[in-house]
Amino acid sequence: MDVVLRELVIGLDMGTTSVKVVIFDLKGKLITQTEELITTSYPKSDWAEQNPNEIEKACILAMKNAISELNKSQDKVLAVGISAAMHSLICIDEEMDPLSPVMIWSDKRSSQIAEKLIATNDEEIYSKTGTPIHPMTPFLKLIWLREENLKAYQNASYFMSMKEYLVQKWFGKRMIDYSMASATGLFNAKELKWERSALKLAGIKEEQLSEVVPPTEILIGLTESVAQEIGLSPDTPFVIGAADGQLANLGSGAIEPGEVNISVGTSGAIRQFVKGAPINHKMETFTYAFTEDTSIIGGATNNGGIALEWFKDLIEYEGSYDDLLILANKIEIGADGLIFIPYINGERAPLWNGRAKGNFYGLSINHKKEHLIRAVLEGIALNLYHISQSLEEIAGPPKKITVNGGLSKSETWVQIMADILGKKIYLSDTHHNAAWGAAWTALVGIRKVQSFAEIKSNLPDERVIEPNMENHKAYIPVFEKYERLVETLKAFF
């Protein structure tokens, strides 16, 4: 009797807090998943670092654990796609060893440099790169390293993201995909090449950066020792993939113009794909290349679920998050005049100010913790709505909105988001959108499927959250006040 092979594809997703490995069948059905946590250290105020070798070991272990659950006689892994968090930076020597820790996106040590650059020629750089001037970017991190005259910078032969470091260690190639290159702030999103004016300011040469390739670039020749450890053939094709934001949109099916994806985990973002590389000249959104003729535009916030987690810890609430959110349901829209500006972790879009601070406005003696919980949930949603207004200036009103990430598990928060937007929200049953996007990109890369668009026929079922339009009308003056407060408070950051 012939054995029927089950064809599978793997998404390797290197996030900020963990490495996830998710194995799917070709229809996107979850077969198995594993996760390995990553340690972040904060050696000084505004610094945020990780160990690149610890992350690589986490990738190996997560891959090994996931693959060990397969039946080798019946399961065939066709390819592996790679997703990674953006904006990381490592100084690398000639022997391809790290000279520094990974400076991750939340590292804000270059805040003063960002302020100086914004006051001088930020628009010129932004108009070419599509990446707002902000401490998150490797561009600003490199300027800081140069000005501090650190040995790691002086002795570096190369500068890489964590994803590039992994590709180099596993395949011996210095390569970076369009989207990860765009997120550095050193890449011209329109011309698809390293931007000389940015390199000059950063004090580096093009030879110190990697070759830029499309997301479907195939990597063959996995290092023998790694292949043996994780349990894959060295000939298994890996596809370089893209950044986690682009792949989350792809994995949600939000790939056509007008299809918007909101992703809210610890942080959050609102994004959509567009043709070409249009730029918002107010510097409120980013434009990152994805393929030769498409980009993703949007805005990321530092303050998603982390704001709720912070508040839960602040009031020392010992119950579950579900119980906490039930308390918010007792309070009417607008939290009885209380508005939360959620910039507790600095902010990216729409301010791009690492020194931004959070605020509660309108506190009165009548307010209780339930009001504050409601205000925190509304503040997170109002901030995303604020970013969405900038997005609409480039791309017009959204035709469809999908939502994923940890906060999408909360019916209360999703309903608040739908009511503020005044739009239907589509929720899928999976929270592995970036991993499925990476896996699908791998299938496109090896030509098992013909296009990115075909993913629409291979997505989990969606359910629709309808907006309450009466609530939407009530939120309009709340947002107007929120917007005025943000504008006023900007002078104090």
Side-chain angles (χ1 to χ4, degrees), residues 169-381:
K169 287 208 74 172
W170 287 12
F171 296 94
K173 296 179 179 179
R174 287 196 300 120
M175 286 184 173
I176 186 171
D177 63 85
Y178 292 144
S179 62
M180 292 293 289
S182 286
T184 65
L186 300 162
F187 189 71
N188 190 309
K190 293 182 178 179
E191 298 179 8
L192 298 179
K193 64 182 184 181
W194 295 114
E195 176 52 49
R196 289 186 179 180
S197 59
L199 299 187
K200 185 176 180 181
L201 283 170
I204 65 172
K205 300 175 182 178
E206 187 172 335
E207 305 88 77
Q208 293 178 286
L209 301 175
S210 300
E211 176 190 358
V212 188
V213 297
T216 50
E217 182 76 16
I218 298 174
L219 303 164
I220 295 288
L222 181 63
T223 302
E224 187 72 37
S225 59
V226 175
Q228 286 182 357
E229 192 164 0
I230 65 178
L232 275 181
S233 165
D235 296 330
T236 303
F238 280 61
V239 172
I240 199 164
D244 52 4
Q246 282 85 334
L247 294 174
N249 268 57
L250 175 62
S252 303
I255 57 176
E256 300 293 337
E259 294 177 342
V260 173
N261 178 249
I262 299 175
S263 179
V264 192
T266 301
S267 57
I270 178 168
R271 315 176 185 91
Q272 68 171 302
F273 283 109
V274 292
K275 297 293 184 184
I279 289 180
N280 176 319
H281 290 284
K282 294 180 184 177
M283 206 176 80
E284 293 176 338
T285 56
F286 56 71
T287 301
Y288 296 153
F290 177 61
T291 63
E292 289 184 359
D293 57 0
T294 61
S295 302
I296 197 164
I297 59 172
T301 169
N302 290 358
N303 302 284
I306 195 172
L308 185 62
E309 181 182 347
W310 162 80
F311 186 72
K312 184 175 183 287
D313 291 343
L314 183 70
I315 64 174
E316 299 181 347
Y317 187 81
E318 295 182 357
S320 68
Y321 280 100
D322 289 341
D323 292 339
L324 186 73
L325 296 174
I326 287 171
L327 295 176
N329 279 329
K330 297 178 180 179
I331 306 301
E332 296 292 325
I333 285 169
D336 196 17
L338 186 60
I339 292 179
F340 177 60
I341 309 297
Y343 307 149
I344 59 167
N345 197 29
E347 192 50 292
R348 286 179 282 174
L351 303 182
W352 301 102
N353 188 330
R355 297 180 185 273
K357 305 297 180 187
N359 288 268
F360 279 106
Y361 170 81
L363 276 168
S364 75
I365 199 167
N366 297 319
H367 286 132
K368 296 180 172 57
K369 66 182 177 184
E370 292 89 346
H371 293 88
L372 275 73
I373 296 165
R374 178 87 191 189
V376 168
L377 292 174
E378 290 181 340
I380 296 168

Side-chain angles (χ1 to χ4, degrees), residues 42 45 89 181 227 243 276 284 288 321 360 367 383 387 446 451 454 456 480:
Y42 304 92
S45 176
L89 178 69
E284 293 176 338
Y288 296 153
Y321 280 100
F360 279 106
H367 286 132
N383 190 34
I387 300 169
I446 65 171
S451 70
E454 285 181 42
K456 286 180 172 292
E480 289 172 350

Side-chain angles (χ1 to χ4, degrees), residues 15-196:
T16 304
T17 57
S18 68
V19 171
K20 299 184 187 74
V21 172
V22 190
I23 303 182
F24 304 93
D25 70 11
L26 302 195
K27 292 291 186 180
K29 179 184 176 183
L30 176 67
I31 303 301
T32 189
Q33 59 178 312
T34 56
E35 183 174 14
E36 294 295 323
L37 296 179
I38 299 169
T39 305
T40 301
S41 61
Y42 304 92
K44 295 183 182 180
S45 176
D46 289 339
W47 291 31
E49 298 178 341
Q50 295 176 345
N51 183 326
N53 292 322
E54 178 193 337
I55 298 172
E56 189 218 358
K57 288 177 182 175
C59 291
I60 289 173
L61 186 56
M63 290 282 289
K64 177 182 178 180
N65 290 341
I67 291 165
S68 69
E69 295 186 27
L70 301 181
N71 185 326
K72 291 187 178 180
S73 65
Q74 294 183 5
D75 292 330
K76 180 180 181 182
V77 174
L78 298 181
V80 181
I82 308 173
S83 165
M86 292 175 271
H87 313 303
S88 60
L89 178 69
I90 318 170
C91 299
I92 305 288
D93 68 14
E94 186 64 34
E95 303 301 316
M96 299 299 172
D97 291 321
L99 296 171
S100 71
V102 185
M103 297 168 68
I104 64 174
W105 67 268
S106 54
D107 189 289
K108 295 181 285 190
R109 71 185 77 176
S110 59
S111 291
Q112 287 187 332
I113 292 167
E115 290 166 4
K116 290 178 186 176
L117 203 56
I118 286 171
T120 54
N121 62 350
D122 67 304
E123 188 172 338
E124 179 186 350
I125 295 292
Y126 172 69
S127 66
K128 294 176 180 178
T129 65
T131 306
I133 304 299
H134 189 272
M136 69 180 182
T137 62
F139 172 43
L140 270 292
K141 291 176 170 75
L142 284 166
I143 296 176
W144 183 88
L145 288 167
R146 188 199 66 200
E147 292 194 358
E148 293 294 315
N149 206 26
L150 296 187
K151 285 186 179 180
Y153 174 87
Q154 293 172 346
N155 297 333
S157 297
Y158 309 105
F159 300 98
M160 298 181 183
S161 67
M162 184 58 219
K163 185 179 184 181
E164 292 165 86
Y165 180 64
L166 187 80
V167 168
Q168 167 59 39
K169 287 208 74 172
W170 287 12
F171 296 94
K173 296 179 179 179
R174 287 196 300 120
M175 286 184 173
I176 186 171
D177 63 85
Y178 292 144
S179 62
M180 292 293 289
S182 286
T184 65
L186 300 162
F187 189 71
N188 190 309
K190 293 182 178 179
E191 298 179 8
L192 298 179
K193 64 182 184 181
W194 295 114
E195 176 52 49
R196 289 186 179 180

